[in-house]
Amino acid sequence: MVEMGGDTTRGAPAHGQDTTSGAPAHGQDAAPGAPPAPPDATRARPGGTPKAVGIVWALLGLNTLGSAGAKTIVTLPRSLIQMVTMGALVAAFALALALNARLRVRAGAFLSLLTLLLVPSVISSVQLEVGFGALFRCVRLALFVGTLWLLSRWWDGGLTFVRHHIRMYFAVLGSVAAGLALSPGVAMPEYYGGRLVGALWPLTPPQIGQYTAVIIGLTVLLLLGRRTTGASAALVIVPSLVLLALTHTRTATLGLLVGLGLAIGSLVLTSAAARRFFAWAVLCAAVAAVAFSSALQAWFLRGQSQENFSNLTGRAKVWDALTAAPRTTGERVFGTGLGDKSFGGLPIDNSWLAVYHEQGLIGIGLVGAMVVVLGGVALLRPPSLPRACAIFLISYCAISSYTEAGLGDASAYLLHLALAAALLAAPAGGAALPAAEVPVRRIPRRTRR
């Protein structure tokens, strides 16, 4: 797996240094000569981030896995799955609060806009047009956003959270691979057209495709930036590519290719490895397009007719019905409340229409502002590996938003954007500790003579 050693990104704070305000961390304000405090789970790593932050990030990822999906080998009640996912969010918030008891946060446009998104969500949800579940989802979104605020203390533009992201989703994909090995028939059912699903945890093919594409892209960028070895990268990339091919997920594949192209393009002028990789990738893509055009076309169409492919597997019909439905002024402005991202019993599968349906025009404006702000900041940053990773995540989410929902609620896509915001955060400059004065021993005058 990708090496998870200390982050050597320029500007990383020193050991034990508070990355928010520059104040000395726990144990640094002790009296001179006092013994150091014993290490614990909340002590910072050499990169300045507590080890338990990775646990908080993994719990947030567990919450976004969802409770609806394919049939599993052992039937899991939906209530049990919801209890696990919501319990993970509560545990993440509690642990983040324990790690950041002084509530030191780093204010930023992304988290501010995300917090403002709660306003139309609550206003529309209190009408109870979609039931009490809307209020429950508002609480979930509030806890999700609150946990991100608490973690923002350690957002310093380093690659620490990238490694947490890869570890988390690699573990999820490990469960998918285990389910495929235990029961191939359940893992590739006919009602999903033989596409790979989660046989141990109910995951849909688009979810698995999303996770594989994201960790493949991030691992490739770490390899180009020489932040991992070839063997470690291959351990992540090769099985993930196999799982991505088995899901037959076109959106994830397109997002991976376009996102990597933009991210590597941002490194071309400053990285010889990026230039070589880009040249070889273009050459291999051209050869594959010519030699395997029929096989690639068959994989891309997934046995669908031209009509079914043109209306995006029935999505266009749902979108037309949603936009044509009559709405009051309040519903157009604030939406109908947080729901299950469906309309008329069918999934919306479009982030912008889902936000319009549930959070109205205000929600669309806020979500659009989040993406535009992150993209603008990424363009203004000088070329670097964290910037390239952020560009990949932003572009992937932007492409996937056309056929996937989730940008307006606690979801994996929102977690990807939060990671991009952490990568684009400027390193916090900490005040240097004053050097200790060394007492000068007086030497008698006659001794000096």
Side-chain angles (χ1 to χ4, degrees), residues 191-193 195 206 248-251 299-319 346-349 402-404:
Y191 57 85
Y192 266 113
R195 302 169 64 190
H248 283 234
T249 308
R250 295 172 294 209
T251 301
W299 181 90
F300 198 77
L301 289 177
R302 295 196 314 232
Q304 296 176 340
S305 64
Q306 190 66 28
E307 180 183 359
N308 197 17
F309 177 75
S310 62
N311 62 25
L312 299 174
T313 322
R315 291 185 177 95
K317 298 179 180 178
V318 180
W319 298 347
L346 297 174
I348 298 175
D349 285 341
Y402 184 66
T403 57
E404 298 290 336

Side-chain angles (χ1 to χ4, degrees), residues 115-324:
T115 305
L116 288 176
L117 188 62
L118 286 168
V119 176
S121 303
V122 174
I123 291 177
S124 58
S125 297
V126 294
Q127 305 298 326
L128 298 180
E129 292 188 22
V130 293
F132 287 97
L135 295 177
F136 176 82
R137 293 182 179 92
C138 286
V139 174
R140 175 173 176 255
L141 180 59
L143 287 175
F144 190 88
V145 175
T147 306
L148 292 179
W149 271 109
L150 293 172
L151 292 180
S152 66
R153 171 182 176 177
W154 296 283
W155 292 4
D156 57 0
L159 298 172
T160 302
F161 285 90
V162 172
R163 295 184 170 94
H164 292 327
H165 215 63
I166 295 175
R167 282 184 184 137
M168 171 182 64
Y169 285 124
F170 190 77
V172 174
L173 295 179
S175 70
V176 174
L180 177 62
L182 291 174
S183 180
V186 177
M188 303 185 70
E190 289 297 330
Y191 57 85
Y192 266 113
R195 302 169 64 190
L196 180 64
V197 300
L200 298 180
W201 186 276
L203 297 174
T204 61
Q207 283 182 283
I208 301 174
Q210 175 196 167
Y211 305 152
T212 55
V214 167
I215 69 170
I216 288 171
L218 293 177
T219 306
V220 168
L221 293 175
L222 288 182
L223 181 62
L224 292 179
R226 297 181 179 179
R227 299 304 176 89
T228 185
T229 63
S232 299
L235 184 62
V236 175
I237 295 173
V238 173
S240 298
L241 282 174
V242 174
L243 296 181
L244 176 60
L246 293 177
T247 61
H248 283 234
T249 308
R250 295 172 294 209
T251 301
T253 305
L254 182 62
L256 171 64
L257 297 177
V258 176
L260 265 184
L262 294 175
I264 296 174
S266 69
L267 295 172
V268 165
L269 297 179
T270 58
S271 172
R275 290 192 291 270
R276 290 193 299 268
F277 184 88
F278 189 80
W280 278 105
V282 172
L283 178 62
C284 293
V287 172
V290 174
F292 306 102
S293 58
S294 58
L296 291 175
Q297 184 178 6
W299 181 90
F300 198 77
L301 289 177
R302 295 196 314 232
Q304 296 176 340
S305 64
Q306 190 66 28
E307 180 183 359
N308 197 17
F309 177 75
S310 62
N311 62 25
L312 299 174
T313 322
R315 291 185 177 95
K317 298 179 180 178
V318 180
W319 298 347
D320 293 339
L322 188 149
T323 54

Side-chain angles (χ1 to χ4, degrees), residues 404-422:
E404 298 290 336
L407 287 183
D409 204 349
S411 67
Y413 290 107
L414 212 55
L415 200 60
H416 301 332
L417 292 182
L419 176 58

Side-chain angles (χ1 to χ4, degrees), residues 347-400:
I348 298 175
D349 285 341
N350 182 287
S351 286
W352 305 102
L353 289 178
V355 171
Y356 170 68
H357 178 60
E358 297 183 353
Q359 292 143 313
L361 295 174
I362 294 180
I364 287 183
L366 292 173
V367 173
M370 286 192 297
V371 177
V372 170
V373 165
L374 288 176
V377 173
L379 293 177
L380 295 176
R381 288 281 187 270
S384 65
L385 181 57
R387 173 183 181 248
C389 293
I391 290 176
F392 167 74
L393 292 168
I394 297 168
S395 57
Y396 181 86
C397 292
I399 293 172
S400 300

